[in-house]
Amino acid sequence: KIQNTRKRAPAYPPGVDVTVFDQAVDELRGQLGTDNVSLNDQPLIDGWYMEHPNTHDMMHVLDDEELVPSAMVYPGSTEEVQHVVKWANKYRIPIFPISMGRNFGYGGAAPRVRGSVLVDLGRRMNKILDINPDDYTCLVEPGVSFFALHDEIKRRGYDHLWIDPPDVGGGSVIGNAVDRGVGYTPYGDHWALHSGLEVVLPTGEVIRTGMGALPGNNTWQTFPYGFGPYSDGIFSQSNFGIVTKMGMALMPNPGGFESFVYTFPKEEDLTQLIEIIRPLRISNILENVAQLRHVIQSIAVLGNPRSTYYTGDGAIPIEIIHEAVSESPLGDHTWIYYGMSYGPPHIRKYKLDIVDAEFKKVPGARRIDPATLPPDEYFWTRDRVASGTPDVQELRWVQWVPNGAHIAFSPVSPIRGVDATRLIEIARRRHDEFGIDLLPAFIVGLREMHLIVEIVFDRNDEARREAALKCLRAMIDDAAACGYGEYRTHLVLMDQIAGTYNWNDGALMKFNEKLKDALDPNGILAPGRCGIWPKRYRGRGWEM
Amino acid sequence: KIQNTRKRAPAYPPGVDVTVFDQAVDELRGQLGTDNVSLNDQPLIDGWYMEHPNTHDMMHVLDDEELVPSAMVYPGSTEEVQHVVKWANKYRIPIFPISMGRNFGYGGAAPRVRGSVLVDLGRRMNKILDINPDDYTCLVEPGVSFFALHDEIKRRGYDHLWIDPPDVGGGSVIGNAVDRGVGYTPYGDHWALHSGLEVVLPTGEVIRTGMGALPGNNTWQTFPYGFGPYSDGIFSQSNFGIVTKMGMALMPNPGGFESFVYTFPKEEDLTQLIEIIRPLRISNILENVAQLRHVIQSIAVLGNPRSTYYTGDGAIPIEIIHEAVSESPLGDHTWIYYGMSYGPPHIRKYKLDIVDAEFKKVPGARRIDPATLPPDEYFWTRDRVASGTPDVQELRWVQWVPNGAHIAFSPVSPIRGVDATRLIEIARRRHDEFGIDLLPAFIVGLREMHLIVEIVFDRNDEARREAALKCLRAMIDDAAACGYGEYRTHLVLMDQIAGTYNWNDGALMKFNEKLKDALDPNGILAPGRCGIWPKRYRGRGWEM
Ligand SMILES: Cc1cc2nc3c(=O)[nH]c(=O)nc-3n(C[C@H](O)[C@H](O)[C@H](O)COP(=O)(O)OP(=O)(O)OC[C@H]3O[C@@H](n4cnc5c(N)ncnc54)[C@H](O)[C@@H]3O)c2cc1C
Ligand SMILES: Cc1cc2nc3c(=O)[nH]c(=O)nc-3n(C[C@H](O)[C@H](O)[C@H](O)COP(=O)(O)OP(=O)(O)OC[C@H]3O[C@@H](n4cnc5c(N)ncnc54)[C@H](O)[C@@H]3O)c2cc1C
């Protein structure tokens, strides 16, 4: 989509006079350099994943001019981030920090409050500060992507070090971790594996957490806790601070790895299969954060638009999908499990034999021999990602519809057949209601799984955007009524989802608000993120 | 030690009028029942580990009447804890919550501020609320000890579930985790493995963290994070809340286990050995949180007083120790590594063969065949603890001196030979200076290790208590000057250690104080714990 004009006037920070804002921008330009502050007054250009805009959400589910910043600033150091924060406090201008802004499905680079000043940390703060080959750790700035970290490790010849990428490798190590994203090796829980933060607080002070608070230490990246309250967690999924450095554990090369893939014929197999997975996963026979995907994903990820298969109304009939997949190297199936086993051959064999015996208890279960799969098969993407090589193939299903964009429903459940089935039923009922294709995948953690249902929509079609959003809002409420909550969400849904975590009359949100008011008395940092509104905004209709 | 009288008058809460206090106590008795509020006005009786007092620190390093509460209260429910907190706010009485008060070496049951009211949560709130055999999780109240949890799992016949006990099993699962204690199976990092808290805030509200905030959820114990800021960490090693329930992961029975023990002849072997351990530990060939102990520990843990071996002045000469250990089934050595391998036999063999080849690179390294060790050998204690069976044998080295008590120096370092040696040198120099026997052990985590140096002293001998404290204070400063900080500490040392985490002009402590003031405006909850003083106390000479 290329636009030559804007429909609406450029956005301004709420409650800030235009001339005051202009003056404030000039002041900031004086501090950071003219090139490092730009107004968001040009036409919006969507670009694509690897050249995404930070002027708006490229995969917007609202009108593209809705969640836009007034300006973008590019600090080059922690000190410059402190400048920006102090400046924001002086003028009461809301700022919204991003690392790289590739948080697609969850809001991309967009701020929650229209007219905020976007603090794009990654553009200039993109150094790998340390890779420690003895401790198996690294220390990075916000602009370091999974690709960049992977490449640098290879460049240095550290074959014994692996990274853990999420499905698309262009995001930043920091941005993904602070939003509590996941990858697919045994090191998939990124938040759990970080060690040490440097954080600029909403009032401008800078702290280092964990051992980082001890001058001259050599343990910042090896021991996460330090002494006293372990405060890192409150800087994830929040608006309590700006992370300017983060340490991360690197996985030791396991000395061998082997992907495996099983298909299961029937929808109903889900219940039995999940029951089989649970004990194997908890006991680490299934070692990685695996994906159990639905057949429609097997087709969508080929990258052909759905119109290749179906041009009728409503959700695509499942028979058409089965027909299409029957002709593929995978053969017909309903569920497909992608896993990986690690270690030397005899150790893998021990685990794989158990997996095989257990999975084959499902009638019709079939192990596909990877040797039969062509090199461009999606299987090899899962193989790369689960062995620490970043990839972008996962983006292919976004082309399922023209001008494809996506937004995710991501509820958490125990690894139990009954929960899996209940969540799929909620999703299917609502998808049918809104005529949307259901694209579900279970991401199996250790004792829980995230169901990720991606709604792919034509972002230029207002009706489809609205349907996507209505479907999502309905699923969120249905799920909450059954006791399921989301692990992460899109900017637009944050208030709704925060509202479902309302035990004891919303006690947790009141607690979060107390922290917010103490740490950010002027309410300048990412107001509304994760449903937390500072005092100045609270109860004034900002929720959506 | 039995005393019939008190040397000093009973303690009162600071700044609270005696008659007001009496009236407040009466009021609380009316709410909780007379039996559940007792004044601390009787003679102090030390008891022993399994019948420890909550009137003071049984292993006091100050005079036993120094860190004493004015009264002890025993709430029976979360609501009663809320009552106590509101009562404390009403009268501005400092309260100090403990789970079971067996935090020996770190302050026992004592409060930081003399005259605080001790909130003994464990006495009445001691239910195992859930053991989930499918999810491998449990939910416990503060009074549930490792022994109690272990026994209940056995009673229910859940052979597939293991717990992870610390060295002595009488402490509580909650108290140990919130102080960030460690155990010795692969589930040794208790804080990392908890999932979900219920917390009474210092102003009396109750929150549930993680998925616990979602009504009707079934994921509180399976997914720790929930949605929004992950706040659990700030309730560990802090004074920001009272934990009334906690979820915890249980380890899957690994299907077999096998302890192994190696000895190494020389002091200098430490450097090489630690270098060997690091990559094996990070890659999980060494699977558990293991202990590498010094030969003096091999003797001390026999439970004989040091006078059996030596009655001279100053630290015991190392030749005497070597002589004694030469006659023991372990044979002469300087360092001894206790580890465990898990899984079925051929999987263990794979790992144990690697360990053997690596450890044997140290000249003179010797693997001891467990079959040669008698049933009362300390080896079997390590075997039990590392396979999930709580024990109390570790208490034996506390009898090294008459009226034995202990206090720990616990710095964190990377798993590197040079750091190990440097820390041992710091400890040795100061121990020699104060004529104290050096009892070091390295507790090897995943990317870091804690050196635990236990000073055992005669608690009835004021001079030895003082020497212990002076030695500790000196080691803390020496270590900090080299960039090492403690992971946890005794009440008496909290200010000093918090003071070493002073990067950027004490930014982290200022941040902690900001949180403290926001959450506890009246400063009633555990003032001074981990060096965090509320506004009412700050800068008034409370530090020590
Ligand atoms: C096809 C596809 C597949 C995907 N698969 C996955 C997947 O497998 N796993 C997964 O986790 N995600 C996945 N995503 C979502 C997303 O791409 C990734 O999570 C990505 O890593 C986000 O990275 P980022 O650094 O660009 O995020 P950012 O946009 O920079 O950060 C995300 C949010 O975190 C906050 N934030 C970021 N940096 C900071 C900071 N320094 N200080 C304070 N707050 C900050 C901001 O609110 C920001 O909006 C997928 C997306 C697509 C399109
Ligand atoms: C010989 C010996 C060996 C030991 N070995 C180990 C070991 O291997 N690993 C180890 O970790 N420890 C060890 N310890 C120390 C100690 O015994 C244990 O950590 C024990 O588990 C503490 O348990 P507790 O529940 O009684 O602690 P508590 O005294 O109840 O708790 C400790 C502190 O945490 C805080 N706290 C407790 N409960 C709450 C709550 N509900 N809400 C808010 N704050 C709370 C309080 O400030 C309290 O003082 C050892 C001690 C001895 C004597």
Side-chain angles (χ1 to χ4, degrees):
Chain A
K1 182 183 62 176
I2 309 266
Q3 273 177 215
N4 295 318
T5 54
R6 294 270 283 255
K7 292 160 287 186
R8 299 165 68 176
Y12 279 95
V16 180
D17 188 84
V18 179
T19 54
V20 173
F21 182 63
D22 288 344
Q23 177 196 327
V25 166
D26 280 347
E27 184 182 318
L28 198 60
R29 283 194 167 128
Q31 288 182 313
L32 302 199
T34 318
D35 290 352
N36 297 320
V37 182
S38 32
L39 291 176
N40 189 17
D41 54 6
Q42 302 301 306
L44 301 178
I45 299 168
D46 282 353
W48 74 289
Y49 181 77
M50 291 307 263
E51 280 164 22
H52 74 285
N54 55 24
T55 50
H56 67 296
D57 180 5
M58 174 185 112
M59 297 198 184
H60 54 96
V61 69
L62 302 180
D63 180 85
D64 60 345
E65 294 196 19
E66 187 57 37
L67 295 185
V68 288
S70 52
M72 291 78 67
V73 308
Y74 309 102
S77 65
T78 301
E79 292 67 35
E80 290 195 1
V81 174
Q82 292 180 277
H83 278 317
V84 173
V85 167
K86 285 175 188 157
W87 169 88
N89 273 287
K90 177 172 170 191
Y91 292 103
R92 305 285 191 275
I93 292 173
I95 56 176
F96 192 90
I98 58 165
S99 283
M100 295 183 75
R102 290 207 178 107
N103 205 19
F104 298 117
Y106 301 109
R112 173 62 179 79
V113 165
R114 185 169 204 271
S116 297
V117 167
L118 194 85
V119 185
D120 183 338
L121 301 156
R123 180 175 298 191
R124 295 174 63 213
M125 297 170 72
N126 53 17
K127 281 188 289 300
I128 297 171
L129 299 168
D130 188 39
I131 297 175
N132 188 314
D134 297 325
D135 295 339
Y136 297 68
T137 60
C138 64
L139 179 68
V140 296
E141 288 189 333
V144 176
S145 71
F146 293 95
F147 277 115
L149 184 58
H150 175 264
D151 292 353
E152 181 60 18
I153 287 172
K154 292 284 162 233
R155 201 188 63 75
R156 295 195 195 177
Y158 292 150
D159 285 339
H160 66 302
L161 303 181
W162 279 22
I163 69 157
D164 177 285
D167 258 346
V168 201
S172 69
V173 179
I174 288 185
N176 185 279
V178 301
D179 214 23
R180 297 203 300 258
V182 295
Y184 303 96
T185 76
Y187 275 43
D189 182 348
H190 296 160
W191 186 252
L193 284 153
H194 94 280
S195 182
L197 300 178
E198 180 183 88
V199 183
V200 174
L201 298 176
T203 37
E205 304 87 351
V206 53
I207 61 171
R208 291 189 176 174
T209 66
M211 301 306 293
L214 198 132
N217 78 82
N218 60 0
T219 41
W220 197 15
Q221 272 62 69
T222 54
F223 183 62
Y225 304 137
F227 177 78
Y230 176 48
S231 42
D232 290 35
I234 65 171
F235 298 109
S236 69
Q237 290 194 5
S238 78
N239 48 17
F240 298 165
I242 301 178
V243 177
T244 46
K245 293 185 178 68
M246 185 182 78
M248 193 77 183
L250 297 169
M251 181 169 146
N253 181 334
F257 61 91
E258 186 174 348
S259 273
F260 58 92
V261 53
Y262 282 82
T263 62
F264 305 89
K266 299 196 303 292
E267 293 285 352
E268 314 83 78
D269 293 337
L270 183 64
T271 318
Q272 184 185 0
L273 181 57
I274 296 281
E275 290 294 309
I276 289 171
I277 289 172
R278 188 184 55 249
L280 296 181
R281 182 69 188 99
I282 294 176
S283 59
N284 259 312
I285 296 295
L286 292 171
E287 293 164 276
N288 68 327
V289 178
Q291 289 202 2
L292 177 66
R293 295 161 73 107
H294 192 259
V295 60
I296 188 166
Q297 293 261 34
S298 304
I299 292 301
V301 83
L302 297 177
N304 308 315
R306 89 197 274 273
S307 56
T308 318
Y309 309 99
Y310 183 66
T311 50
D313 276 344
I316 188 167
I318 193 73
E319 305 77 50
I320 293 184
I321 297 291
H322 280 296
E323 206 173 294
V325 85
S326 297
E327 288 156 23
S328 84
L330 300 173
D332 193 19
H333 62 271
T334 294
W335 296 101
I336 183 162
Y337 183 99
Y338 294 95
M340 187 174 272
S341 185
Y342 302 86
H346 66 292
I347 297 295
R348 299 200 306 259
K349 182 171 180 336
Y350 160 67
K351 294 176 280 196
L352 289 172
D353 284 351
I354 298 176
V355 172
D356 196 66
E358 291 294 314
F359 277 17
K360 292 273 175 68
K361 287 181 181 167
V362 179
R366 211 158 45 81
R367 178 166 183 179
I368 299 175
D369 179 359
T372 67
L373 298 175
D376 64 344
E377 236 295 322
Y378 174 70
F379 169 84
W380 300 110
T381 291
R382 293 248 62 80
D383 185 63
R384 279 187 291 276
V385 171
S387 58
T389 303
D391 202 290
V392 291
Q393 295 301 317
E394 189 74 20
L395 284 167
R396 287 190 294 188
W397 53 253
V398 184
Q399 305 162 31
W400 188 238
V401 298
N403 311 304
H406 66 110
I407 183 167
F409 172 58
S410 340
V412 178
S413 80
I415 309 174
R416 295 208 205 124
V418 51
D419 296 300
T421 311
R422 200 175 293 151
L423 282 167
I424 287 288
E425 273 165 12
I426 287 172
R428 173 154 304 126
R429 195 157 46 82
R430 293 301 189 175
H431 276 62
D432 286 348
E433 179 182 339
F434 292 97
I436 296 173
D437 295 336
L438 177 63
L439 273 70
F442 290 96
I443 314 292
V444 185
L446 198 62
R447 282 175 174 74
E448 53 73 39
M449 53 194 189
H450 305 352
L451 167 61
I452 307 284
V453 172
E454 294 284 7
I455 299 188
V456 185
F457 57 90
D458 179 342
R459 65 181 184 272
N460 289 353
D461 182 337
E462 194 180 335
R464 296 320 292 159
R465 289 203 313 259
E466 266 181 24
L469 213 44
K470 276 192 184 148
C471 179
L472 253 164
R473 291 205 182 274
M475 290 191 293
I476 292 165
D477 284 343
D478 292 350
C482 300
Y484 303 111
E486 280 69 25
Y487 94 102
R488 175 183 184 187
T489 201
H490 192 282
L491 290 174
V492 170
L493 300 165
M494 286 176 170
D495 294 311
Q496 184 185 4
I497 287 175
T500 65
Y501 286 76
N502 61 3
W503 183 79
N504 191 21
D505 199 20
L508 187 63
M509 182 52 81
K510 289 176 197 160
F511 171 73
N512 287 337
E513 288 174 348
K514 200 180 264 193
L515 293 185
K516 179 67 177 168
D517 292 341
L519 296 174
D520 186 8
N522 294 323
I524 54 101
L525 189 62
R529 179 156 149 76
C530 292
I532 303 166
W533 293 97
K535 208 183 211 123
R536 296 180 62 224
Y537 290 74
R538 215 170 291 151
R540 303 191 175 190
W542 282 95
E543 293 83 0
M544 61 181 176
Chain B
K1 180 183 61 177
I2 309 267
Q3 275 177 213
N4 296 317
T5 55
R6 294 269 282 255
K7 291 161 287 185
R8 298 167 67 176
Y12 280 94
V16 178
D17 187 86
V18 179
T19 54
V20 174
F21 182 63
D22 288 346
Q23 177 197 326
V25 166
D26 279 348
E27 184 182 317
L28 197 60
R29 283 193 166 129
Q31 288 182 314
L32 302 198
T34 318
D35 290 352
N36 298 320
V37 182
S38 33
L39 291 176
N40 189 17
D41 54 7
Q42 302 299 307
L44 301 178
I45 299 169
D46 282 353
W48 74 289
Y49 181 77
M50 291 306 263
E51 281 165 20
H52 74 283
N54 54 25
T55 50
H56 67 295
D57 179 6
M58 174 184 113
M59 297 198 184
H60 54 96
V61 68
L62 301 182
D63 181 86
D64 61 346
E65 295 195 21
E66 187 56 38
L67 295 185
V68 287
S70 53
M72 291 77 67
V73 308
Y74 309 100
S77 65
T78 301
E79 292 69 35
E80 289 195 0
V81 174
Q82 292 180 277
H83 278 317
V84 173
V85 167
K86 286 174 187 158
W87 170 87
N89 273 287
K90 177 172 170 191
Y91 292 102
R92 304 286 192 277
I93 292 174
I95 56 177
F96 192 89
I98 58 164
S99 284
M100 295 183 76
R102 290 206 179 108
N103 205 19
F104 299 117
Y106 300 110
R112 173 63 178 80
V113 166
R114 186 168 205 271
S116 298
V117 167
L118 193 85
V119 185
D120 183 339
L121 301 156
R123 180 176 298 190
R124 293 173 66 212
M125 298 172 71
N126 54 17
K127 281 188 289 301
I128 297 170
L129 299 169
D130 188 39
I131 297 175
N132 188 314
D134 297 326
D135 295 339
Y136 297 69
T137 60
C138 64
L139 179 68
V140 297
E141 289 189 332
V144 176
S145 71
F146 293 95
F147 278 115
L149 183 59
H150 175 264
D151 291 354
E152 181 61 19
I153 287 172
K154 291 283 161 235
R155 201 188 61 75
R156 295 195 196 177
Y158 292 150
D159 285 339
H160 65 302
L161 304 181
W162 278 22
I163 68 158
D164 178 284
D167 258 345
V168 201
S172 69
V173 178
I174 289 185
N176 185 278
V178 300
D179 215 21
R180 298 202 298 257
V182 296
Y184 303 95
T185 77
Y187 275 43
D189 182 349
H190 296 161
W191 185 252
L193 285 152
H194 94 281
S195 182
L197 300 178
E198 180 182 88
V199 183
V200 175
L201 298 175
T203 37
E205 304 88 351
V206 54
I207 61 171
R208 289 188 177 174
T209 66
M211 302 305 293
L214 198 131
N217 79 81
N218 60 0
T219 40
W220 197 16
Q221 272 63 70
T222 53
F223 183 62
Y225 303 138
F227 175 79
Y230 176 48
S231 42
D232 290 34
I234 64 170
F235 299 110
S236 69
Q237 290 196 4
S238 78
N239 47 18
F240 297 164
I242 302 179
V243 177
T244 46
K245 293 184 180 68
M246 185 183 78
M248 193 79 182
L250 297 169
M251 179 169 148
N253 181 335
F257 60 91
E258 186 174 347
S259 274
F260 57 92
V261 52
Y262 282 83
T263 62
F264 306 90
K266 300 195 303 290
E267 293 286 352
E268 314 83 77
D269 293 337
L270 183 65
T271 318
Q272 184 185 2
L273 181 57
I274 296 281
E275 289 295 309
I276 289 172
I277 289 173
R278 188 184 56 250
L280 297 180
R281 182 69 188 99
I282 294 176
S283 59
N284 258 313
I285 297 294
L286 292 171
E287 293 165 276
N288 68 328
V289 178
Q291 289 201 2
L292 176 67
R293 295 160 73 107
H294 191 259
V295 60
I296 189 165
Q297 293 261 34
S298 303
I299 292 301
V301 83
L302 298 175
N304 307 316
R306 88 197 276 273
S307 56
T308 319
Y309 309 99
Y310 184 65
T311 50
D313 276 345
I316 189 167
I318 195 72
E319 305 77 50
I320 294 184
I321 297 291
H322 281 296
E323 205 173 295
V325 84
S326 298
E327 289 156 23
S328 84
L330 300 173
D332 193 19
H333 62 271
T334 293
W335 297 100
I336 183 162
Y337 183 98
Y338 293 95
M340 187 175 271
S341 185
Y342 302 86
H346 65 292
I347 298 295
R348 299 200 305 260
K349 183 171 179 336
Y350 159 67
K351 295 175 279 196
L352 289 172
D353 285 351
I354 298 176
V355 172
D356 196 66
E358 291 294 314
F359 278 17
K360 292 272 175 68
K361 288 180 180 166
V362 180
R366 211 159 44 83
R367 178 166 184 181
I368 299 176
D369 179 359
T372 66
L373 299 175
D376 63 345
E377 236 296 322
Y378 173 70
F379 169 85
W380 300 110
T381 291
R382 294 249 62 81
D383 185 63
R384 280 188 290 277
V385 170
S387 58
T389 303
D391 203 287
V392 292
Q393 295 300 319
E394 190 73 20
L395 285 167
R396 287 189 295 188
W397 52 253
V398 184
Q399 303 162 33
W400 188 237
V401 298
N403 311 303
H406 66 109
I407 183 166
F409 171 57
S410 340
V412 178
S413 81
I415 309 175
R416 296 208 205 123
V418 51
D419 295 300
T421 311
R422 201 174 294 152
L423 282 168
I424 287 288
E425 273 166 12
I426 288 172
R428 174 154 303 128
R429 195 157 45 83
R430 293 302 188 173
H431 276 62
D432 286 348
E433 179 181 339
F434 292 96
I436 296 173
D437 295 335
L438 177 64
L439 275 68
F442 290 97
I443 314 292
V444 186
L446 197 62
R447 282 176 175 72
E448 53 74 39
M449 53 192 189
H450 304 351
L451 166 62
I452 307 284
V453 171
E454 294 283 6
I455 300 188
V456 185
F457 57 91
D458 179 344
R459 67 182 183 272
N460 289 354
D461 181 337
E462 195 180 331
R464 296 320 293 157
R465 291 203 312 259
E466 266 180 25
L469 213 45
K470 276 193 183 149
C471 179
L472 253 163
R473 290 204 181 275
M475 289 191 293
I476 292 165
D477 284 343
D478 292 349
C482 300
Y484 303 110
E486 281 69 25
Y487 94 102
R488 176 183 184 188
T489 201
H490 191 283
L491 290 175
V492 170
L493 301 165
M494 287 175 170
D495 295 310
Q496 185 185 3
I497 287 176
T500 64
Y501 286 76
N502 61 3
W503 183 78
N504 191 20
D505 200 20
L508 188 63
M509 182 51 81
K510 290 176 196 160
F511 171 74
N512 287 337
E513 288 175 348
K514 201 181 260 192
L515 293 184
K516 180 67 177 168
D517 291 340
L519 296 173
D520 186 8
N522 293 324
I524 55 100
L525 190 62
R529 179 157 149 76
C530 291
I532 304 165
W533 292 97
K535 210 183 208 120
R536 295 181 60 222
Y537 290 74
R538 215 171 290 151
R540 301 188 177 194
W542 281 97
E543 293 82 1
M544 62 181 177

